[in-house]
Amino acid sequence: MVNSPRDSLIDRMAFVFLWFWILIVPFYNSFITMFPGYPQSAMNRLPYIAYFVFFIVLITKRKDEAQKLNNRSRNLFAAVFFAYILWLISSCIWSAAQDLTFNMISYYFQYNIITVLLVLALVHDDDQLAALMNAYVLGSFISVIGTIISFKLGIAFGGLTSHRYASLGYNPNDLGLTLALAIPMALYLANTRIKSPLRWLYFLYLPTSFIAILLTASRGAFLSTMVALTYIPLTFSRTKIFPKIMLMFALLAISYAVFYFVPKAPLARISTMSNELYWGSLSGRTYIWETAWGIFRDNPLIGIGSGAFKEKSSSILGSEQVSHNAFLSALVELGIVGFILFAGIIAAILSRIKILPPVQMRLWLVLILTWVVGASFMSWDYYRQTWVLFAMAAAQISIYEGKTD
């Protein structure tokens, strides 16, 4: 963990808390599944501690420190984000399922809002942002290990006949995208944190995470992983000799794993991706998307309320479903207004990403595109991984805008 020497003791302690807050994101579900009871209740109290930490940071922040955080990129992102949150909260007024909407609002307050607040308040240099990426990669590594253990123990998601494996408590699709997002981060850290004692772990993450993603047999996550891996050719010419050699070994390890470690059944499922995209239903997603589009046409402007698609879909499809598309989810549940605000958050990031140095710019372009591809098959509009990613992207841009001002 890295703290700037300019930070006060309170800021440093708060950053340590934020580091652990990000660390648990990629394996949170496994933790509460494996340790029910008091450990789970203790984890449930963390959001209250997080708000207390933010409040203390806020009231102790010196005027000159607060001014450093006041720049166009940070303010634009925060403005669009909180406009989106206000609209999401307002949707409880007209929601078709108010209990589900209140649950969604509660989730945002517990995890997403405080994550954005803490990242924007505490991250103001590259070292701190790298430390948060390090936390996310380490947390993802725990889920990688959990997935491989599930495979070795024969604990398949949905029963042995599914041949899909994931760390306990996770849906394979969600886990696969969670791990894919950490790949560009690990590669970036391996090439830029030369003196880090964890450098070998960053290189090791590439082959092990690829194995775990194959074991999930998630086609959407595999497609996202292919996007994540484009970070290698995009930055290869700027990569130093030693990382290049290690990347070659990592790619060889991936080749070995595909042929000798990963069973045929997950690979066979992934291989049907092209047929599913052109001729199939994407495991029933196309029917769900048609249903969602029909609901949207009936409520185009303001939507049916955040989280309410589950109840609406049950009356049409016979069972509760999520939209399996983050953008469609925002459109159906929050209407055109909510969709514009949600898309505006991404636009606020992309519109300013050009001010970053080439390596960072390519990193965040790959990360955002990896998320976009994965979220096109998953309802990740409210997932905490999404808001960790968006908040860190906004902080990265804000850092360099501060340097150019």
Side-chain angles (χ1 to χ4, degrees), residues 177-256:
L177 182 52
T178 299
L179 302 182
L181 287 171
I183 290 174
M185 295 184 193
L187 293 170
Y188 169 78
L189 292 171
N191 196 37
T192 59
R193 307 290 117 176
I194 298 173
K195 296 181 180 179
S196 172
L198 297 174
R199 198 179 188 200
W200 290 95
L201 200 62
Y202 302 144
F203 286 116
L204 185 60
Y205 183 78
L206 178 56
T208 55
S209 64
F210 195 83
I211 290 169
I213 291 165
L214 290 178
L215 289 173
T216 68
S218 171
R219 291 171 290 221
F222 180 79
L223 195 59
S224 297
T225 302
M226 294 299 100
V227 176
L229 289 173
T230 62
Y231 183 76
I232 296 175
L234 285 175
T235 59
F236 196 76
S237 63
R238 296 173 180 269
T239 302
K240 298 176 178 65
I241 295 297
F242 179 73
K244 284 181 178 179
I245 295 171
M246 294 306 298
L247 279 174
M248 294 300 103
F249 278 111
L251 293 174
L252 287 172
I254 287 174
S255 302
Y256 176 84

Side-chain angles (χ1 to χ4, degrees), residues 146-162:
T147 302
I148 294 173
I149 290 174
S150 292
F151 166 63
K152 297 302 287 184
L153 295 178
I155 306 173
F157 178 84
L160 286 174
T161 55
S162 74

Side-chain angles (χ1 to χ4, degrees), residues 71 77 90 118 126 140 143 159 180 183-184 197 204 217 237 242 259 282 370 373 395 400:
N71 62 46
F77 175 83
S90 300
L118 285 173
D126 275 329
S140 297
S143 282
I183 290 174
L204 185 60
S237 63
F242 179 73
F259 288 103
L282 296 173
T370 299
V373 171
Y400 280 91

Side-chain angles (χ1 to χ4, degrees), residues 12 14 16 27 73 104 164 177 185-186 194 239-240 254 274 285 295 340 344-345 357 367 382 385:
R12 294 182 185 190
V16 170
F27 69 91
S73 295
M104 187 64 74
R164 304 184 69 187
L177 182 52
M185 295 184 193
I194 298 173
T239 302
K240 298 176 178 65
I254 287 174
S274 59
R285 282 177 174 82
I295 295 171
I340 290 172
I345 293 169
L367 279 170
Y382 69 93
Q385 292 93 321

